[in-house]
């Protein structure tokens, strides 16, 4: 007897709906039935297609990282770098992904101490984001938009650390006008 074909768009279910579900609820507070409902699939389809809830979380994190790092690499390949970087940082303090924050930061805070596999994946995810931002830093230095004497690896670490902190503070209720000076100080450190 042949297996029934998948009757939903796997990428849509993963990239949009699963990411949104884990972003909104976190991992522990998200019942599998709610996760399946949010994804628009039955529980049996969820298990048959993605495995366990934890396996789905891991795949979701990997997909999230690919999307975020890809977007940063696109900016790094563009002719102008300072304004898109500034816009990205200001969007974090003003919107913070609709108040959800960063899936890597959220998952690390929730599960990082207790789940070695998740912690390793989140660490790798942050490294991929940092690698993409380092490309942006190097491109900005080459174009003259960013200071040439900056250590791109150290600046990237400062950038990602600042972004993670901004996301946490924004989720804690700090207003954009309170966080914007941190963005301006960081940009002043980078800009030529």
């Amino acid at each position: 007897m042949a297996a029934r074909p998948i009757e939903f768009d796997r990428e849509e279910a993963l990239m949009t709906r699963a990411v949104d579900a884990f972003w909104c609820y976190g991992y522990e507070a998200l019942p599998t039935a709610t996760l399946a409902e949010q994804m628009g699939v039955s529980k049996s389809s969820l298990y048959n297609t993605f495995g366990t809830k934890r396996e789905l979380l891991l795949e979701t994190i990997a997909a999230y990282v690919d999307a975020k790092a890809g977007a940063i690499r696109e900016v790094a390949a563009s002719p102008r770098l300072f304004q898109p970087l500034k816009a990205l940082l200001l969007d974090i303090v003003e919107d913070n992904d609709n108040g959800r924050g960063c899936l890597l930061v959220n998952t690390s805070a929730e599960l990082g101490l207790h789940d070695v596999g998740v912690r390793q994946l989140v660490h790798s995810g942050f490294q991929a984001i940092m690698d993409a931002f380092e490309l942006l830093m190097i491109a900005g230095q080459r174009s003259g938009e960013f200071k040439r004497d900056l250590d791109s690896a150290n600046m990237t670490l400062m950038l990602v650390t600042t972004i993670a902190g901004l996301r946490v503070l924004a989720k804690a209720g700090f207003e954009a006008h309170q966080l914007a000076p941190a963005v301006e100080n960081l940009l002043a450190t980078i800009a030529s």
Side-chain angles (χ1 to χ4, degrees):
M1 181 172 179
R4 287 180 46 192
I6 296 176
E7 297 175 5
F8 59 91
D9 182 336
R10 187 184 195 288
E11 288 305 306
E12 167 72 14
L14 175 67
M15 287 299 299
T16 302
R17 296 178 180 187
V19 169
D20 284 345
F22 284 118
W23 236 342
C24 291
Y25 294 93
Y27 179 77
E28 295 292 340
L30 178 59
T32 304
T34 302
L35 176 58
E37 180 182 320
Q38 293 283 314
M39 292 174 68
V41 301
S42 67
K43 278 176 67 174
S44 62
S45 290
L46 187 149
Y47 289 125
N48 290 335
T49 305
F50 299 102
T52 66
K53 179 177 142 183
R54 184 181 180 280
E55 289 170 323
L56 177 57
L57 173 69
L58 297 177
E59 191 172 349
T60 300
I61 291 169
Y64 172 86
V65 168
D66 286 346
K68 291 294 186 180
I72 296 163
R73 285 191 298 273
E74 282 184 31
V75 171
S78 68
R80 307 304 287 162
L81 301 164
F82 183 80
Q83 285 305 322
L85 178 60
K86 181 177 182 176
L88 179 147
L89 294 170
L90 290 175
D91 185 61
I92 289 169
V93 300
E94 293 168 3
D95 182 60
N96 199 22
D97 281 314
N98 293 317
R100 297 175 297 187
C102 171
L103 186 60
L104 290 176
V105 172
N106 297 351
T107 304
S108 180
E110 181 182 2
L111 301 173
L113 288 176
H114 309 291
D115 188 320
V116 174
V118 169
R119 181 171 59 242
Q120 289 170 338
L121 183 62
V122 168
H123 182 275
S124 295
F126 275 120
Q127 187 60 58
I129 300 288
M130 288 172 49
D131 291 346
F133 270 123
E134 188 165 10
L135 290 175
L136 191 148
M137 285 292 124
I138 291 168
Q141 288 175 304
R142 287 186 181 143
S143 74
E145 287 188 77
F146 301 161
K147 293 177 183 169
R148 293 183 189 269
D149 62 343
L150 292 176
D151 179 315
S152 61
N154 286 337
M155 197 64 234
T156 299
L157 179 60
M158 183 191 302
L159 177 64
V160 172
T161 301
T162 301
I163 289 170
L166 289 171
R167 288 188 177 281
V168 170
L169 291 175
K171 281 187 78 171
F174 283 80
E175 300 288 329
H177 72 275
Q178 294 172 294
L179 299 176
V183 170
E184 295 303 325
N185 288 336
L186 178 63
L187 291 172
T189 303
I190 296 171
S192 290

